[in-house]
Structures are given as structure tokens and as C-alpha cells.
Amino acid sequence: MNETTILQLVKMRLGISTKVRDAYLSHIIKGAIDFLEKTHGVFLDEDNMEHQMFVVDYVSYRYTNQDSPTFPRHLQWRLHNLIVSSKRSDALDVE
């Protein structure tokens, strides 16, 4: 996953035009990608716009809702679909 592209998209979504928060946002992006790949076993395809936009939306949520324990329903639904489609792809590759 191209973290530079994700960073630029996150900054556009959040309306950030300076580089002051780049290091912090980069850590959130790396953490989000690790979370998806290592915890949930989701293979992220950098050419898949749905995957890119999920990471952008998830990182934006993590940045703006640091103290909120609730996970938005639309992100839960999209994460579930990513997990299911990733598991389905793994099963198809075995056969």
C-alpha cells in the first residue's frame, strides 16, 4: 500500500494543507495497515481504490476520534466485507 498516496488523501479529507502533522498521520497510517494485514489477515491491494479509500476513511476516523470507544457502523460493515473478501480470495487461491 502506497503510504504517501494515503497520506495525501487523508490530508485532503481532513482539510490539512501543511506538513506539521505528517509524521503523526504517517504513524496512524502504518498502524492501520498493520492492523488490517496482521490482525485481520486482509491483503491490501494498492491498485484497489476500495482498499485505499477504506484505509483513508479508517485513518481519518482514528485521527478525529481518538477518545471515542465506538466504531462507526459504516466502517464496521466495510471492514467485515474486506475480511470476508480476503478470506474468499485465499480459498480460491488454494483450489
Side-chain angles (χ1 to χ4, degrees):
M1 181 82 21
N2 187 334
E3 294 175 17
T4 305
T5 302
I6 299 296
L7 177 62
Q8 294 307 314
L9 291 169
V10 168
K11 287 173 67 174
M12 282 189 261
R13 187 177 195 306
L14 296 172
I16 299 172
S17 58
T18 66
K19 295 183 178 194
V20 174
R21 300 228 178 243
D22 283 7
Y24 181 62
L25 287 170
S26 292
H27 282 332
I28 296 174
I29 291 167
K30 289 175 186 173
I33 291 170
D34 281 350
F35 171 73
L36 292 169
E37 291 179 342
K38 294 177 182 170
T39 303
H40 290 291
V42 173
F43 170 75
L44 294 171
D45 179 5
E46 72 179 53
D47 295 327
N48 186 323
M49 294 302 142
E50 182 181 349
H51 290 189
Q52 283 186 15
M53 289 312 299
F54 179 79
V55 173
V56 168
D57 292 343
Y58 182 65
V59 169
S60 299
Y61 162 76
R62 296 249 331 249
Y63 177 78
T64 58
N65 296 290
Q66 299 165 359
D67 298 327
S68 177
T70 58
F71 193 55
R73 189 76 179 132
H74 71 95
L75 286 177
Q76 288 176 354
W77 181 75
R78 288 168 63 195
L79 175 59
H80 179 264
N81 287 342
L82 282 175
I83 293 169
V84 169
S85 67
S86 183
K87 300 299 181 200
R88 185 176 22 190
S89 295
D90 289 345
L92 293 174
D93 289 341
V94 172
E95 296 175 5

